[in-house]
Amino acid sequence: MEPFQYRTDAAVPLLTLTSWEREFSYVVAGMSTRNRESLKNPNRCNYALHVGDDPELVIQQRQQLSQVLNFPFASWTSAEQVHGVRIQEVKAGDRGKGRESRQSAFAQTDGLITREPDILLASFYADCVPILYFCPDVKAVGVAHAGWRGTVGGIGPAMVRELVRMGARRERIRAAIAPSIGACCYEVDDRVASPVREMLPGDADAVLKPASAGKWMLDLRELNRRLLLTEGLEERYVSVTGWCTSCHPEYFHSHRRDRGRTGRMVAFIGLRKDE
Ligand SMILES: [Zn+2]
């Protein structure tokens, strides 16, 4: 079953990770989508603050989403993503970093983890793979930005090791791979295919299918799923979306499809304060 479900009652379009939210009422997790208006104006339903984005509109939309999720906007915390593998634990004093500017975000960081309630980890995407993490035994949540560089750098398994360092048991950690570019649309050349082969020795055919000469279709989501299982996560606790961002312009921004002229969705996760 598709782990990400539309929340049709929401004032801004979004998907929620229904299975986690149902089982653990204090977890808020999901990903924004886009609406019709944003097909004409990529700053609509855009949550990132890159050069060329409209900061006033982006901040306004971040505030609207926070409101829908019932998190104060002060809790929105982001990193400056650079396709790297650096992971940051977000403490209470870091709450709100990156909320209104890239300058205040965690520099050069692609993985965020927190054990603090009332912090909304927010990370931006237009094809790259968002991986959401939750571990009930240490009440920790996390998000990792895994494009091909982050994936072959090993950010997915590195997040698991970081959670384990905090006391989590591998067999209790949940991960959810959110909407991102699918094998249907992600053609790569040897520059990408070659490090991918090294990640899955003898098994790379499962994620790389030959396309035209010197090109392959890469299943980045399946690669990340396999890396998480190798790291010790249980298969039943690793869920993967069926949504391809490039196939569905009506729902998702896609960097590749729109040749870079695009907004960003936000993948989010947080723990509610005890009431
Ligand atoms: Zn596709």
Side-chain angles (χ1 to χ4, degrees), residues 4 17 20 28-31 76-79 81 84-90 106 109-115 119-125 128-135 140-146 155-160 162-163 166 173-179 228 265-270:
F4 290 85
L17 192 44
W20 292 7
V28 173
M31 188 169 177
W76 182 293
T77 307
S78 292
Q81 301 161 208
V85 294
R86 208 181 89 75
I87 297 167
Q88 175 76 44
E89 182 178 359
V90 180
F106 287 105
T109 298
D110 287 82
L112 295 173
I113 293 180
T114 193
R115 286 179 275 188
I119 287 180
L120 188 68
L121 304 178
S123 174
F124 312 106
Y125 300 86
C128 286
V129 177
I131 313 177
L132 298 169
Y133 296 83
F134 167 53
C135 193
V141 290
V143 59
H145 169 238
I155 193 165
M159 289 283 288
V160 173
E162 196 59 23
L163 288 165
M166 291 173 186
I173 298 173
R174 286 154 167 83
I177 294 175
L228 292 172
M265 285 83 69
V266 56
F268 53 83
I269 189 158

Coordinates of all heavy atoms in Angstrom, one line a residue, residues 4 17 20 28-31 76-79 81 84-90 106 109-115 119-125 128-135 140-146 155-160 162-163 166 173-179 228 265-270:
F4 N 2.2 7.1 1.6 CA 1.9 8.6 1.6 C 0.5 8.8 1.1 O 0.2 8.5 -0.1 CB 2.9 9.4 0.8 CG 4.3 9.4 1.5 CD1 5.2 8.3 1.3 CD2 4.6 10.4 2.3 CE1 6.4 8.3 1.9 CE2 5.9 10.4 3.0 CZ 6.8 9.4 2.7
L17 N 2.3 10.8 6.0 CA 2.8 9.4 6.2 C 1.8 8.7 7.2 O 2.0 8.6 8.4 CB 4.2 9.4 6.7 CG 5.0 8.2 6.7 CD1 4.9 7.3 5.5 CD2 6.5 8.5 7.0
W20 N 2.5 5.9 10.0 CA 3.2 6.3 11.3 C 2.3 7.1 12.2 O 2.3 6.9 13.3 CB 4.5 7.1 10.9 CG 5.5 6.3 10.2 CD1 5.5 5.0 9.8 CD2 6.9 6.8 9.9 NE1 6.7 4.7 9.2 CE2 7.5 5.7 9.3 CE3 7.5 8.0 10.2 CZ2 8.8 5.8 8.8 CZ3 8.8 8.1 9.7 CH2 9.5 7.0 9.1
V28 N 4.5 13.7 13.4 CA 3.9 14.4 12.2 C 4.9 14.2 11.1 O 6.1 14.6 11.2 CB 3.7 15.9 12.5 CG1 3.3 16.6 11.3 CG2 2.7 16.1 13.6
A29 N 4.5 13.6 10.0 CA 5.4 13.3 8.9 C 4.7 13.3 7.6 O 3.6 12.9 7.4 CB 6.1 11.9 9.1
G30 N 5.4 13.8 6.6 CA 4.9 13.8 5.2 C 5.6 14.7 4.3 O 6.8 15.0 4.5
M31 N 5.0 15.1 3.2 CA 5.6 15.9 2.1 C 4.6 16.8 1.5 O 3.4 16.3 1.3 CB 6.2 14.9 1.1 CG 7.1 15.6 0.1 SD 8.0 14.3 -0.8 CE 8.9 15.4 -2.0
W76 N 10.0 25.5 12.8 CA 10.5 25.1 11.5 C 12.0 25.2 11.4 O 12.6 26.2 11.7 CB 9.9 26.0 10.4 CG 10.3 25.7 9.0 CD1 11.5 25.8 8.4 CD2 9.4 25.3 8.0 NE1 11.4 25.5 7.1 CE2 10.2 25.1 6.8 CE3 8.0 25.0 7.9 CZ2 9.6 24.7 5.6 CZ3 7.5 24.6 6.7 CH2 8.3 24.5 5.5
T77 N 12.7 24.1 11.2 CA 14.2 24.0 11.2 C 14.7 23.3 10.0 O 14.3 22.2 9.6 CB 14.6 23.3 12.5 OG1 14.0 23.9 13.6 CG2 16.2 23.4 12.7
S78 N 15.7 24.0 9.3 CA 16.2 23.5 8.0 C 17.7 23.6 7.9 O 18.3 24.3 8.7 CB 15.6 24.3 6.8 OG 14.2 24.1 6.7
A79 N 18.2 22.9 6.9 CA 19.6 22.9 6.6 C 19.9 23.4 5.2 O 19.0 23.4 4.4 CB 20.2 21.4 6.8
Q81 N 21.2 22.4 2.1 CA 21.5 21.1 1.6 C 22.5 21.2 0.4 O 22.4 22.0 -0.4 CB 20.3 20.4 1.1 CG 19.2 20.3 2.2 CD 17.8 20.0 1.7 OE1 16.9 20.4 2.4 NE2 17.6 19.5 0.5
G84 N 25.6 16.4 0.3 CA 26.7 15.8 1.1 C 26.2 14.8 2.0 O 25.1 14.3 1.8
V85 N 27.0 14.4 3.0 CA 26.6 13.4 3.9 C 26.6 13.8 5.4 O 26.6 13.0 6.3 CB 27.4 12.1 3.7 CG1 27.2 11.5 2.4 CG2 28.9 12.4 3.9
R86 N 26.8 15.1 5.6 CA 26.9 15.6 7.0 C 25.5 15.5 7.7 O 24.5 15.9 7.1 CB 27.4 17.0 7.1 CG 28.1 17.3 8.3 CD 28.6 18.8 8.4 NE 27.6 19.7 8.9 CZ 27.3 19.8 10.2 NH1 28.0 19.1 11.1 NH2 26.4 20.6 10.7
I87 N 25.5 15.0 8.9 CA 24.3 14.9 9.7 C 24.4 15.7 11.0 O 25.4 15.7 11.6 CB 24.1 13.4 10.1 CG1 23.9 12.5 8.8 CG2 22.9 13.2 11.0 CD1 24.0 11.0 9.0
Q88 N 23.3 16.4 11.3 CA 23.3 17.3 12.5 C 22.2 16.8 13.4 O 21.0 16.7 13.0 CB 23.0 18.7 12.0 CG 22.9 19.7 13.1 CD 24.2 20.1 13.7 OE1 25.2 20.3 13.0 NE2 24.2 20.2 15.1
E89 N 22.5 16.7 14.7 CA 21.4 16.5 15.7 C 20.9 17.9 16.1 O 21.7 18.8 16.4 CB 21.9 15.8 16.9 CG 20.7 15.6 17.8 CD 21.0 14.8 19.1 OE1 22.1 14.3 19.3 OE2 20.0 14.7 19.9
V90 N 19.6 18.1 16.0 CA 19.0 19.4 16.3 C 18.6 19.4 17.7 O 17.8 18.6 18.1 CB 17.8 19.7 15.3 CG1 17.2 21.0 15.6 CG2 18.3 19.6 13.9
F106 N 21.5 25.2 9.0 CA 22.7 24.4 9.3 C 23.5 24.4 8.0 O 23.0 23.9 7.0 CB 22.4 23.0 9.7 CG 21.8 23.0 11.1 CD1 20.5 22.8 11.4 CD2 22.7 23.1 12.2 CE1 20.0 22.7 12.7 CE2 22.2 23.1 13.5 CZ 20.8 22.9 13.7
T109 N 24.7 20.7 5.3 CA 24.2 19.6 6.0 C 23.0 19.0 5.2 O 22.2 19.7 4.7 CB 23.7 20.1 7.4 OG1 24.8 20.6 8.1 CG2 23.0 19.0 8.2
D110 N 23.0 17.6 5.2 CA 21.9 17.0 4.4 C 21.1 16.0 5.2 O 20.1 15.4 4.7 CB 22.5 16.3 3.2 CG 22.9 17.3 2.1 OD1 24.0 17.9 2.2 OD2 22.1 17.6 1.2
G111 N 21.5 15.8 6.5 CA 20.7 14.9 7.4 C 20.4 15.6 8.7 O 21.3 16.2 9.3
L112 N 19.2 15.6 9.1 CA 18.8 16.2 10.4 C 18.1 15.2 11.2 O 17.3 14.4 10.7 CB 17.8 17.4 10.1 CG 18.4 18.6 9.4 CD1 17.2 19.6 9.1 CD2 19.5 19.3 10.2
I113 N 18.5 15.2 12.5 CA 17.8 14.3 13.5 C 17.5 15.1 14.7 O 18.2 16.0 15.1 CB 18.8 13.1 13.9 CG1 19.1 12.2 12.7 CG2 18.3 12.3 15.1 CD1 20.1 11.1 13.0
T114 N 16.3 14.8 15.3 CA 16.1 15.4 16.6 C 15.4 14.5 17.6 O 14.6 13.6 17.1 CB 15.3 16.7 16.5 OG1 15.3 17.4 17.7 CG2 13.8 16.5 16.1
R115 N 15.7 14.7 18.9 CA 14.9 14.0 19.9 C 14.0 15.0 20.7 O 13.4 14.6 21.6 CB 15.9 13.3 20.9 CG 16.6 12.1 20.3 CD 17.6 11.5 21.3 NE 18.9 12.2 21.2 CZ 20.0 11.8 21.8 NH1 20.0 10.7 22.6 NH2 21.2 12.5 21.7
I119 N 9.9 20.5 17.3 CA 10.8 20.9 16.3 C 10.4 20.3 15.0 O 10.2 19.1 15.0 CB 12.3 20.6 16.6 CG1 12.8 21.5 17.7 CG2 13.2 20.7 15.3 CD1 14.3 21.2 18.1
L120 N 10.1 21.1 13.9 CA 9.7 20.5 12.7 C 10.9 20.5 11.7 O 11.3 21.6 11.3 CB 8.5 21.3 12.1 CG 7.9 20.7 10.8 CD1 7.1 19.4 11.2 CD2 7.0 21.7 10.2
L121 N 11.4 19.3 11.5 CA 12.6 19.2 10.5 C 12.0 19.3 9.1 O 11.1 18.6 8.8 CB 13.3 17.9 10.7 CG 13.8 17.6 12.1 CD1 14.5 16.2 12.1 CD2 14.8 18.6 12.6
A122 N 12.6 20.2 8.3 CA 12.0 20.5 7.0 C 13.2 20.5 6.0 O 14.2 21.2 6.1 CB 11.4 21.9 7.0
S123 N 13.0 19.7 4.9 CA 14.0 19.5 3.9 C 13.4 19.5 2.5 O 12.3 19.1 2.3 CB 14.6 18.1 4.3 OG 15.6 17.6 3.5
F124 N 14.2 20.0 1.5 CA 13.6 20.4 0.2 C 14.0 19.5 -0.9 O 15.2 19.0 -1.0 CB 14.0 21.8 0.0 CG 13.8 22.7 1.2 CD1 14.8 23.1 1.9 CD2 12.5 22.9 1.6 CE1 14.6 23.9 3.1 CE2 12.2 23.7 2.7 CZ 13.3 24.1 3.5
Y125 N 13.1 19.3 -1.8 CA 13.2 18.3 -2.9 C 12.5 18.7 -4.2 O 11.5 19.3 -4.2 CB 12.6 17.0 -2.4 CG 13.3 16.5 -1.2 CD1 12.8 16.9 0.1 CD2 14.4 15.6 -1.3 CE1 13.5 16.5 1.2 CE2 15.0 15.2 -0.1 CZ 14.6 15.7 1.1 OH 15.3 15.3 2.2
C128 N 15.3 14.5 -5.9 CA 16.1 13.7 -5.0 C 15.2 12.9 -4.0 O 14.1 13.2 -3.8 CB 17.0 14.7 -4.1 SG 18.3 15.4 -5.1
V129 N 15.8 11.9 -3.4 CA 15.1 11.0 -2.5 C 15.0 11.5 -1.1 O 16.1 11.6 -0.4 CB 15.7 9.6 -2.5 CG1 14.9 8.7 -1.6 CG2 15.7 9.0 -4.0
P130 N 13.8 11.8 -0.5 CA 13.7 12.1 0.9 C 13.6 10.8 1.7 O 12.7 10.0 1.3 CB 12.5 13.0 1.0 CG 11.9 13.1 -0.4 CD 12.6 12.0 -1.2
I131 N 14.4 10.6 2.7 CA 14.2 9.5 3.6 C 13.8 10.0 5.0 O 14.5 10.8 5.6 CB 15.4 8.6 3.7 CG1 16.0 8.3 2.3 CG2 15.1 7.3 4.4 CD1 17.3 7.5 2.3
L132 N 12.6 9.6 5.4 CA 12.2 10.0 6.8 C 12.5 8.8 7.7 O 12.4 7.6 7.4 CB 10.7 10.3 6.8 CG 10.3 11.4 5.9 CD1 8.7 11.5 5.7 CD2 10.8 12.8 6.4
Y133 N 12.8 9.2 9.0 CA 13.2 8.2 10.0 C 12.4 8.4 11.2 O 12.2 9.6 11.6 CB 14.7 8.3 10.3 CG 15.6 8.0 9.2 CD1 16.0 8.9 8.3 CD2 16.3 6.7 9.1 CE1 16.8 8.7 7.2 CE2 17.1 6.5 8.0 CZ 17.4 7.4 7.1 OH 18.3 7.2 6.1
F134 N 12.1 7.3 11.9 CA 11.5 7.5 13.2 C 11.9 6.3 14.1 O 11.8 5.1 13.6 CB 10.0 7.5 13.1 CG 9.2 7.4 14.4 CD1 9.5 8.2 15.5 CD2 8.2 6.4 14.5 CE1 8.8 8.0 16.7 CE2 7.5 6.3 15.7 CZ 7.9 7.1 16.8
C135 N 12.3 6.5 15.3 CA 12.6 5.4 16.2 C 11.8 5.6 17.5 O 12.1 6.5 18.2 CB 14.1 5.4 16.4 SG 14.4 3.8 17.2
A140 N 13.1 9.5 18.5 CA 13.9 10.4 17.6 C 13.3 10.3 16.2 O 12.7 9.3 15.8 CB 15.3 9.9 17.6
V141 N 13.4 11.5 15.5 CA 12.9 11.5 14.1 C 14.1 12.1 13.3 O 14.9 12.9 13.8 CB 11.7 12.4 13.9 CG1 10.4 11.7 14.5 CG2 11.8 13.8 14.5
G142 N 14.1 11.8 12.0 CA 15.1 12.4 11.1 C 14.7 12.5 9.7 O 13.7 11.9 9.3
V143 N 15.4 13.2 8.9 CA 15.2 13.3 7.5 C 16.6 13.4 6.8 O 17.5 14.1 7.3 CB 14.3 14.5 7.1 CG1 14.8 15.8 7.5 CG2 14.0 14.5 5.6
A144 N 16.7 12.6 5.7 CA 17.9 12.7 4.9 C 17.6 13.0 3.5 O 16.7 12.5 2.9 CB 18.7 11.3 5.0
H145 N 18.5 13.9 2.9 CA 18.3 14.3 1.5 C 19.3 13.4 0.7 O 20.5 13.5 0.8 CB 18.7 15.8 1.4 CG 18.9 16.3 0.1 ND1 20.1 16.9 -0.3 CD2 18.1 16.4 -1.0 CE1 20.0 17.3 -1.6 NE2 18.8 17.0 -2.0
A146 N 18.7 12.5 -0.1 CA 19.6 11.5 -0.8 C 19.3 11.6 -2.3 O 18.5 10.9 -2.8 CB 19.2 10.1 -0.3
I155 N 24.5 8.4 2.9 CA 23.8 9.1 4.0 C 22.6 8.3 4.6 O 22.4 8.5 5.8 CB 23.3 10.5 3.5 CG1 22.9 11.4 4.7 CG2 22.1 10.4 2.4 CD1 22.7 12.8 4.4
G156 N 22.0 7.5 3.8 CA 20.9 6.7 4.4 C 21.3 5.8 5.5 O 20.8 5.9 6.6
P157 N 22.3 4.9 5.3 CA 22.8 4.1 6.4 C 23.5 4.9 7.5 O 23.4 4.5 8.7 CB 23.8 3.2 5.7 CG 23.5 3.2 4.3 CD 22.8 4.5 4.0
A158 N 24.1 6.0 7.2 CA 24.8 6.9 8.2 C 23.7 7.4 9.2 O 24.0 7.5 10.4 CB 25.5 8.0 7.5
M159 N 22.5 7.7 8.7 CA 21.5 8.2 9.6 C 21.1 7.1 10.6 O 20.9 7.3 11.8 CB 20.2 8.6 8.8 CG 20.4 9.8 7.9 SD 20.2 11.4 8.9 CE 18.5 11.4 9.3
V160 N 21.1 5.8 10.1 CA 20.7 4.7 11.0 C 21.8 4.6 12.1 O 21.5 4.5 13.3 CB 20.7 3.4 10.2 CG1 20.5 2.2 11.1 CG2 19.5 3.4 9.2
E162 N 23.7 6.9 13.3 CA 23.5 8.0 14.2 C 22.4 7.8 15.2 O 22.6 8.0 16.4 CB 23.2 9.3 13.3 CG 23.5 10.6 14.0 CD 24.9 10.8 14.5 OE1 25.8 10.2 14.0 OE2 25.0 11.6 15.5
L163 N 21.3 7.2 14.7 CA 20.2 6.8 15.6 C 20.6 5.8 16.6 O 20.3 5.8 17.8 CB 19.0 6.4 14.8 CG 18.3 7.5 14.1 CD1 17.3 6.9 13.0 CD2 17.5 8.4 15.0
M166 N 22.5 7.1 19.4 CA 21.7 7.7 20.4 C 20.9 6.7 21.2 O 20.1 7.1 22.1 CB 20.6 8.6 19.7 CG 21.2 9.8 19.0 SD 19.9 10.6 18.0 CE 20.9 11.9 17.2
I173 N 13.9 0.7 14.2 CA 13.9 2.0 13.4 C 13.0 1.8 12.2 O 13.1 0.8 11.5 CB 15.4 2.3 13.0 CG1 16.2 2.6 14.2 CG2 15.4 3.5 12.0 CD1 17.7 2.8 13.9
R174 N 12.2 2.8 11.9 CA 11.4 2.9 10.7 C 12.0 3.9 9.8 O 12.4 4.9 10.2 CB 10.0 3.3 11.1 CG 9.2 2.2 11.8 CD 8.1 2.8 12.7 NE 7.2 1.8 13.1 CZ 7.3 1.0 14.2 NH1 8.5 1.0 14.9 NH2 6.4 0.1 14.6
A175 N 11.8 3.6 8.5 CA 12.2 4.5 7.5 C 11.2 4.6 6.4 O 10.6 3.5 6.1 CB 13.6 4.1 6.9
A176 N 11.0 5.7 5.8 CA 10.0 5.9 4.7 C 10.6 6.7 3.6 O 11.1 7.8 3.8 CB 8.7 6.5 5.2
I177 N 10.6 6.1 2.4 CA 11.2 6.8 1.2 C 10.1 7.5 0.5 O 9.1 6.9 0.1 CB 11.9 5.7 0.4 CG1 13.1 5.2 1.2 CG2 12.3 6.3 -1.0 CD1 13.9 4.1 0.5
A178 N 10.2 8.8 0.4 CA 9.1 9.7 0.0 C 9.2 9.9 -1.5 O 10.2 9.6 -2.2 CB 9.1 11.0 0.8
P179 N 8.2 10.6 -2.1 CA 8.1 10.8 -3.6 C 9.4 11.5 -4.1 O 10.0 12.4 -3.5 CB 6.9 11.8 -3.7 CG 6.0 11.3 -2.6 CD 6.9 11.0 -1.5
L228 N 19.5 0.5 3.3 CA 18.9 0.5 4.7 C 18.8 -0.9 5.2 O 19.0 -1.2 6.4 CB 17.6 1.2 4.7 CG 17.6 2.7 4.4 CD1 16.2 3.3 4.3 CD2 18.4 3.5 5.5
M265 N 9.5 20.9 -3.2 CA 8.6 20.4 -2.2 C 9.3 20.4 -0.9 O 10.6 20.4 -0.9 CB 8.1 19.0 -2.5 CG 7.0 18.8 -3.6 SD 7.7 18.8 -5.2 CE 8.6 17.2 -5.2
V266 N 8.6 20.2 0.2 CA 9.3 20.1 1.5 C 8.9 18.7 2.1 O 7.7 18.4 2.1 CB 9.0 21.2 2.5 CG1 7.5 21.5 2.7 CG2 9.7 21.0 3.8
A267 N 9.8 17.9 2.5 CA 9.6 16.7 3.3 C 9.7 17.2 4.8 O 10.7 17.9 5.1 CB 10.5 15.6 3.0
F268 N 8.8 16.8 5.6 CA 8.9 17.2 7.0 C 8.6 16.1 8.0 O 7.9 15.1 7.7 CB 7.8 18.4 7.2 CG 6.4 18.0 6.8 CD1 5.6 17.2 7.6 CD2 6.0 18.3 5.5 CE1 4.3 16.9 7.2 CE2 4.7 17.9 5.1 CZ 3.9 17.2 6.0
I269 N 9.2 16.3 9.2 CA 8.9 15.3 10.3 C 9.2 16.0 11.6 O 10.1 16.8 11.7 CB 9.7 14.0 10.1 CG1 9.2 13.0 11.1 CG2 11.2 14.2 10.2 CD1 9.6 11.5 10.8
G270 N 8.3 15.7 12.6 CA 8.5 16.3 13.9 C 7.7 15.5 15.0 O 6.9 14.7 14.6

